[in-house]
Amino acid sequence: GQNIDQPTEMTATEGAIVQINCTYQTSGFNGLFWYQQHAGEAPTFLSYNVLDGLEEKGRFSSFLSRSKGYSYLLLKELQMKDSASYLCAVRSGSARQLTFGSGTQLTVLP
Amino acid sequence: NAGVTQTPKFQVLKTGQSMTLQCAQDMNHEYMSWYRQDPGMGLRLIHYSVGAGITDQGEVPNGYNVSRSTTEDFPLRLLSAAPSQTSVYFCASSYLSVRGSMNTEAFFGQGTRLTVV
């Protein structure tokens, strides 16, 4: 089976930096994704890591360590619109199934 | 380019009724899947398909059927609705393998909010 863990809730201040961690246990790893989901909306793609290291995309960066089963999403210069749920997802197996963590609800305070 | 289209957006069913949630994508993605999302439990995989004519069960398949007669369409059928199936349902599609600069990110439909009374 697979196990994906991430914190349930986090709070940060506008303009600050926040790091959301994700740990996973899986076989046949084929990539790790981060998605953003605003309340009442569909998840939208943020980042993708398949090799170890840091991927940067504007204010958002994602890091992966395959040997440690660990990833984090780094959000810089937080804005109020960044208040959302952030979902860590792992693709694995021969059929490339995508398994999601329960999500981290981030609240950005003024 | 419509992406992933789900219908209906909202539905109320009585216990025991059956219905089909529709999902269509126009990106020629091989992989399509259905998830349900419940508070505090994240997205859980119901069924998935790696191509036309091929379907398989995910984590929570009981009470649901799927078929994949074409690349574009992947309907989800509730055979006999139960209150435990009250949830938000998302359809998603993706490539199976990386295509040039395109990775295998999943594109989601807007969701169907289903209530079974």
Side-chain angles (χ1 to χ4, degrees):
Chain A
Q2 300 183 67
N3 192 31
I4 301 174
D5 289 317
Q6 50 181 130
T8 304
E9 294 178 326
M10 297 185 72
T11 303
T13 305
E14 192 175 14
I17 299 172
V18 69
Q19 178 175 312
I20 302 174
N21 296 325
C22 172
T23 59
Y24 65 90
Q25 295 173 321
T26 189
S27 57
F29 177 84
N30 196 250
L32 188 140
F33 298 80
W34 284 94
Y35 285 82
Q36 181 190 59
Q37 186 178 26
H38 285 101
E41 298 182 6
T44 55
F45 170 76
L46 286 178
S47 70
Y48 168 68
N49 295 72
V50 67
L51 299 176
D52 291 350
L54 188 68
E55 293 284 340
E56 297 188 81
K57 249 187 178 184
R59 294 190 300 115
F60 290 44
S61 303
S62 57
F63 171 83
L64 175 67
S65 169
R66 288 171 296 170
S67 62
K68 295 182 179 178
Y70 169 69
S71 173
Y72 68 73
L73 179 69
L74 193 71
L75 291 77
K76 303 175 185 176
E77 302 170 10
L78 281 172
Q79 302 175 9
M80 299 298 290
K81 66 178 182 180
D82 296 329
S83 291
S85 182
Y86 290 85
L87 311 175
C88 173
V90 173
R91 190 179 291 283
S92 61
S94 57
R96 306 290 197 264
Q97 296 181 54
L98 194 62
T99 302
F100 284 82
S102 297
T104 299
Q105 183 63 47
L106 173 66
T107 302
V108 180
L109 302 174
Chain B
N1 190 344
V4 180
T5 303
Q6 273 185 249
T7 55
K9 291 186 179 179
F10 301 93
Q11 183 70 51
V12 178
L13 289 179
K14 294 182 179 179
T15 298
Q17 285 185 315
S18 63
M19 80 159 293
T20 299
L21 307 185
Q22 301 292 342
C23 176
Q25 54 93 8
D26 61 359
M27 296 172 280
N28 204 30
H29 286 162
E30 303 98 338
Y31 188 92
M32 295 187 74
S33 53
W34 278 101
Y35 293 87
R36 59 177 290 173
Q37 187 172 37
D38 302 295
M41 300 192 73
L43 289 154
R44 291 184 293 167
L45 183 64
I46 304 172
H47 285 285
Y48 65 95
S49 167
V50 298
I54 307 169
T55 63
D56 208 343
Q57 297 180 351
E59 180 186 354
V60 288
N62 292 340
Y64 308 94
N65 274 355
V66 291
S67 59
R68 185 91 180 272
S69 56
T70 66
T71 300
E72 293 78 20
D73 300 297
F74 191 45
L76 177 73
R77 296 184 187 84
L78 280 71
L79 309 172
S80 177
S84 60
Q85 293 179 305
T86 293
S87 187
V88 180
Y89 291 84
F90 287 102
C91 177
S93 73
S94 69
Y95 290 117
L96 267 178
S97 58
V98 176
R99 307 287 175 88
S101 63
M102 304 290 291
N103 64 42
T104 57
E105 69 182 90
F107 292 81
F108 285 82
Q110 288 304 300
T112 297
R113 283 146 185 83
L114 176 68
T115 302
V116 183
V117 298

